Each structure stands twice: as structure tokens, then as C-alpha cells.
């Protein structure tokens, strides 16, 4: 068995960030910006009012209460090119451009419009600049808007749109082919013969990819023979940036996936000092990284978290590859036996009164997917007897 860190270094060290591509904003959410993004425009593009009210000369309000002549109305979208002279005011709506001559806005709540609408009474004095959003107050032309390495969020998309930037240069979203293989597996809802089980890993792995912001490609349940596997994996290497298989990588496996990957790829077969997910195959077929995850449903998910997800995040250009970990209080005994391995227990973590608290999410067998499904964290239990109720454990948060 090799230590977890050695296996992770090997896998993560072997993959490289994908090429940069220019994508429309609609496709950019969650992707990593390749170059610094500089603005070519000012935001806001012109001085405008932050409030509904009256545009005035601030000096005129110093005698408040005072009455000014209303010379017009400026709505958002208007040019607002009327001139405001001394003793004058214009009704103005939030977002409308400040008319020339004016230097302050008095909000509508501090005004009383006359019945004929020709004059307005101002209740309070306001300083110059009052409620004005000046041109470029958020972003000036030439400003660094966000740096290379930024992960594009909905807010970033809004900033880019506000600058009139409709394409952005990002690391490509990894396209990841997923296959299942194993003679016992059945696709679809039909009846099971004795000895058969349904293929669940493919659903899970495709969803994990989706959730992580990658593009999963369902390559199906591939018949467990050399020809079918060779054809599918070679085809994947032409169209995908990476491939994930599950099953057939453990010591006792009969599956052909091992034979085929060794024949057409350059694979390393590892036994890692962790439980679940001890076996892992990792290597390349025609330069495409291949993750051969173990078949047990919990193992394949844990293996995805520990190896595939961080490696794929590196390919996507991310700097932070791992899920966050926290120190948490065990609400119950999280016991285990010494066996030379680090255990990843499926737990529910709750943040209560400033502290994370952990309890088992259900049965801890590597075939018991329900507990993994209900877990939102993995408790990291180093080799030994585990963690007693009230003691502190490290937990890797999955949501
Ligand atoms: P293996 O890694 O091929 O030795 O498989 C370990 C266990 O995982 C066996 O009980 C398999 O039946 C099960 N298994 C393998 N692939 C899948 C899958 N795609 N969905 C659900 N269970 C699977
Ligand atoms: Mg098998």
C-alpha cells in the first residue's frame, strides 16, 4: 500500500491545465479566467442619480426651506440635456443622467411639488454631489476588473456584461467520459436475473462531474469484452479530456477493463492506504488521463473526491483543488480499528453554535451507498482506534 499523499501527488502531478478558449458569457459560469480582465469602458458610463428626486444646484438649497422653479423631468434612459440654472430644479428618476448645471439631487421625500407642478419646495439643504453616482465610480477605463485565476461567478458575468464584454478567455471545461463495465451490471429498469445488479456508479459519477462544473459524457455501460472496451476507450480518447471508469481495478477483478487499459494505455495500478477506495488505476490512453475508480459505489465516490475531482480541477485551471476541511466535534464515537489505513467515514456535519458537529450518516460499508448519499462530509480518521464522542475530528465538507 502507498500513502494517500503519494498517490494524490502522483495523480494530480500528472495532469496539466487545459488550453485557453474564448467563450460567450452564457458558457462561462464557473470557469477560470486565463488573462487579467481590463475594462475599456467606465461604469457607470455617465454621472447619474442614485435617488428619485430633483436635480438642483446645491447652493440653492442652503436657504432651505426654499422654493425652486421646475424646468422639466428626466427619466432613466433620457438624454437629460436640459440646463439647470440658479433657482431651478428638474424632476429626476433613479439612473437618469444628471442634467448640465446641476450638482446635487434632493430626494423626493424631502420635497413638495406644487399643485400645478411648476415649483417645488425643498425641505433641507444638501451638499454638492448629494446622491450622485459619478461616471467611472465603480470601474474606470483601464481598471483591472479581475485577475487571471478568478472563478467566474454570476456577479462576474454581470460585471462583464456591464462593460460590454461578451466573450471571455477561460480554461476549457474538462469533458469527461464515463463508462461502467462489469458482467453483473444491468442498465435500465428491467428485471434483474440472480447475480445481477444495476449500474449505479455511472449516474453518480456523471452527477458529481456536473456538480463540479465539468462536462460529463455518458459513454454507457460497456460490454465486458476486449473489443467493446477497446473501441469505447479509444473513441473516448479522441473526444474527451479525461475518462472515468468504475470497477475492475481491484486485486480479484476478472473484468477486462484492466487487460484493455494495460494494452492500450500506460497505467499505474495502485493500492492506497485508505478505506474505502483502496484500489485506483491511473494513467493515460493517447494522452487522455484515465481514472480507474473502484467499483463499490461508496468507494467510487470517495475515490472521485480524493483523486479525480482535484485532478480535473487542476485541468480546469483552479488553484484550490480540494474540498474544504474543518475541525469538528464528534457527537458520537466514530470508532474504527487499526489497519494501516486512513478511514473516510460518511458523516453528517452540522454547524451549531459556532462549531461543526459530526455523526455517522448510516452504515459504513463501502457498498452502502445510502449513507454516502445522506452524508455531507467525510470524517478523516487516521490509523488507530478512531475518535471518541466529544473529541475533535477533521472533516472534509462535501457541500
Ligand atoms: P469491482 O471493483 O469490479 O471488483 O467491483 C466491486 C463491487 O462494486 C462489486 O460488488 C460490483 O458489483 C460493484 N460495482 C461495480 N461497478 C458498479 C456499478 N457501475 N454500479 C454499481 N455497483 C458496481
Ligand atoms: Mg467487477
Amino acid at each position: 500500500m502507498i500513502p494517500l499523499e503519494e498517490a494524490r501527488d502522483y495523480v494530480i502531478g500528472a495532469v496539466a491545465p487545459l488550453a485557453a478558449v474564448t467563450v460567450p458569457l452564457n458558457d462561462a459560469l464557473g470557469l477560470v479566467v486565463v488573462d487579467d480582465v481590463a475594462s475599456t469602458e467606465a461604469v457607470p458610463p455617465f454621472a447619474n442619480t442614485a435617488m428619485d428626486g430633483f436635480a438642483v444646484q446645491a447652493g440653492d438649497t442652503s436657504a432651505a426651506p426654499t422654493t425652486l422653479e421646475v424646468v422639466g423631468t428626466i427619466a432613466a434612459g433620457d438624454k437629460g440635456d436640459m440646463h439647470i440654472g440658479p433657482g431651478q430644479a428638474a424632476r429626476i428618476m433613479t439612473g437618469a443622467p444628471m442634467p448640465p448645471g446641476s450638482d446635487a439631487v434632493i430626494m423626493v421625500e424631502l420635497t413638495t411639488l406644487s399643485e400645478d407642478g411648476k415649483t417645488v419646495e425643498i425641505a433641507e439643504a444638501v451638499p454638492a454631489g448629494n446622491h450622485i453616482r459619478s461616471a467611472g465610480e465603480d470601474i474606470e477605463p483601464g481598471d483591472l476588473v479581475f485577475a487571471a485565476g478568478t472563478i467566474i461567478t454570476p456577479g462576474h458575468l454581470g460585471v462583464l456584461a456591464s462593460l460590454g464584454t461578451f466573450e471571455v478567455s477561460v480554461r476549457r471545461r474538462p469533458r469527461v467520459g464515463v463508462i461502467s463495465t462489469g458482467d453483473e451490471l444491468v442498465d435500465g429498469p428491467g428485471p434483474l436475473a440472480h447475480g445481477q445488479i444495476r449500474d449505479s456508479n455511472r449516474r453518480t459519477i456523471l452527477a458529481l462531474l456536473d456538480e463540479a462544473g465539468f462536462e460529463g459524457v455518458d459513454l454507457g455501460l460497456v460490454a465486458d469484452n476486449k473489443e467493446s472496451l477497446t473501441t469505447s476507450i479509444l473513441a473516448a480518447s479522441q473526444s474527451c479530456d479525461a475518462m472515468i471508469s468504475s470497477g475492475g481495478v481491484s486485486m480479484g477483478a476478472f473484468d477486462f477493463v484492466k487487460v484493455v487499459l494495460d494494452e492500450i494505455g500506460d497505467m499505474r495500478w495502485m493500492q492506497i492506504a485508505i478505506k474505502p477506495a483502496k484500489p485506483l488505476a491511473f494513467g493515460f490512453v493517447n494522452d487522455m488521463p484515465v481514472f480507474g475508480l473502484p467499483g463499490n459505489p461508496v468507494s467510487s465516490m470517495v475515490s472521485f473526491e480524493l483523486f479525480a475531482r482535484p485532478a480535473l480541477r487542476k485541468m480546469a485551471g483552479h488553484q484550490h483543488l480540494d474540498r474544504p476541511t474543518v475541525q469538528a466535534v464528534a457527537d458520537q464515537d466514530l470508532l474504527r480499528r487499526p489497519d494501516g489505513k486512513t478511514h473516510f467515514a460518511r458523516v453528517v456535519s452540522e454547524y451549531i453554535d459556532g462549531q461543526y458537529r459530526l455523526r455517522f450518516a448510516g452504515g459504513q460499508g463501502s457498498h452502502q451507498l445510502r449513507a454516502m448519499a445522506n452524508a455531507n462530509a467525510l470524517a478523516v480518521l487516521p490509523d488507530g482506534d478512531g475518535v471518541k464522542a466529544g473529541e475533535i475530528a477533521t472533516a472534509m465538507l462535501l457541500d
Side-chain angles (χ1 to χ4, degrees):
M1 287 194 301
I2 60 171
L4 174 61
E5 278 320 307
E6 182 184 327
R8 277 169 48 87
D9 288 350
Y10 180 76
V11 170
I12 296 167
V15 301
L18 297 175
V21 286
T22 299
V23 300
L25 293 194
N26 280 348
D27 298 337
L29 184 64
L31 298 182
V32 177
V33 174
V34 171
D35 301 312
D36 290 351
V37 176
S39 140
T40 52
E41 294 184 4
V43 181
F46 52 88
N48 67 93
T49 173
M51 289 280 184
D52 295 325
F54 288 83
V56 297
Q57 294 191 352
D60 280 344
T61 67
S62 56
T66 184
T67 301
L68 301 176
E69 176 198 358
V70 177
V71 296
T73 298
I74 310 162
D78 286 353
K79 280 206 178 71
D81 46 8
M82 74 188 59
H83 189 270
I84 305 300
Q88 295 185 327
R91 282 184 71 193
I92 192 164
M93 311 305 157
T94 302
M98 291 301 295
S102 68
D103 64 359
V105 170
I106 178 149
M107 64 177 174
V108 71
E109 290 85 344
L110 295 176
T111 66
T112 313
L113 193 60
S114 65
E115 254 175 43
D116 62 7
K118 287 185 174 155
T119 61
V120 62
E121 193 180 297
I122 307 295
E124 275 181 24
V126 295
N130 197 53
H131 297 319
I132 296 176
R133 308 189 281 209
S134 57
E137 194 174 292
D138 186 12
I139 300 170
E140 296 275 15
D143 275 359
L144 172 68
V145 188
F146 22 90
T150 301
I151 301 161
I152 297 181
T153 64
H156 292 115
L157 292 174
V159 170
L160 290 170
S162 74
L163 291 169
T165 300
F166 291 100
E167 289 184 329
V168 58
S169 177
V170 290
R171 289 274 163 225
R172 210 149 54 71
R173 190 188 301 282
R175 232 177 102 79
V176 186
V178 180
I179 64 167
S180 290
T181 180
D183 272 336
E184 75 280 31
L185 299 179
V186 173
D187 205 5
L192 295 176
H194 189 64
Q196 293 184 322
I197 60 164
R198 302 186 198 282
D199 173 10
S200 65
N201 291 350
R202 201 153 37 98
R203 281 278 77 73
T204 306
I205 294 166
L206 285 165
L208 286 168
L209 289 167
D210 192 31
E211 200 179 53
F214 311 131
E215 184 189 347
V217 182
D218 187 354
L219 300 177
L221 171 56
V222 181
D224 198 15
N225 62 63
K226 274 178 82 168
E227 296 67 37
S228 304
L229 282 164
T230 305
T231 308
S232 300
I233 298 171
L234 287 178
S237 77
Q238 300 307 311
S239 64
C240 295
D241 301 304
M243 198 197 87
I244 296 178
S245 69
S246 64
V249 300
S250 59
M251 294 294 217
F254 278 105
D255 308 290
F256 271 110
V257 68
K258 201 164 185 169
V259 177
V260 168
L261 282 174
D262 264 337
E263 210 169 273
I264 63 174
D266 177 13
M267 302 295 294
R268 178 170 168 190
W269 305 85
M270 290 173 265
Q271 297 290 319
I272 304 160
I274 56 174
K275 184 181 176 182
K278 183 170 73 152
L280 173 73
F282 175 78
F284 291 86
V285 171
N286 291 336
D287 294 332
M288 171 186 71
V290 177
F291 300 86
L293 309 185
N296 271 312
V298 177
S299 307
S300 67
M301 285 186 80
V302 170
S303 193
F304 180 92
E305 291 295 338
L306 296 177
F307 303 103
R309 189 175 181 280
L312 292 167
R313 280 176 67 82
K314 182 178 174 191
M315 292 172 72
H318 286 271
Q319 314 281 329
H320 297 289
L321 304 183
D322 288 319
R323 299 277 201 182
T325 55
V326 295
Q327 297 301 299
V329 181
D331 261 350
Q332 65 178 118
D333 288 347
L334 304 175
L335 300 183
R336 48 154 298 175
R337 293 191 192 292
D339 59 3
K341 300 178 200 163
T342 302
H343 289 200
F344 290 87
R346 278 68 76 197
V347 295
V348 173
S349 81
E350 260 186 305
Y351 193 68
I352 302 168
D353 293 337
Q355 203 157 42
Y356 283 95
R357 311 197 68 96
L358 306 178
R359 60 190 152 81
F360 279 132
Q364 295 291 310
S366 62
H367 57 298
Q368 289 173 302
L369 187 54
R370 188 167 47 149
M372 181 71 185
N374 288 329
N376 62 359
L378 294 170
V380 185
L381 305 175
D383 193 21
D385 296 313
V387 172
K388 294 211 172 62
E391 292 179 350
I392 300 290
T394 299
M396 183 175 151
L397 303 181
L398 300 177
D399 56 8

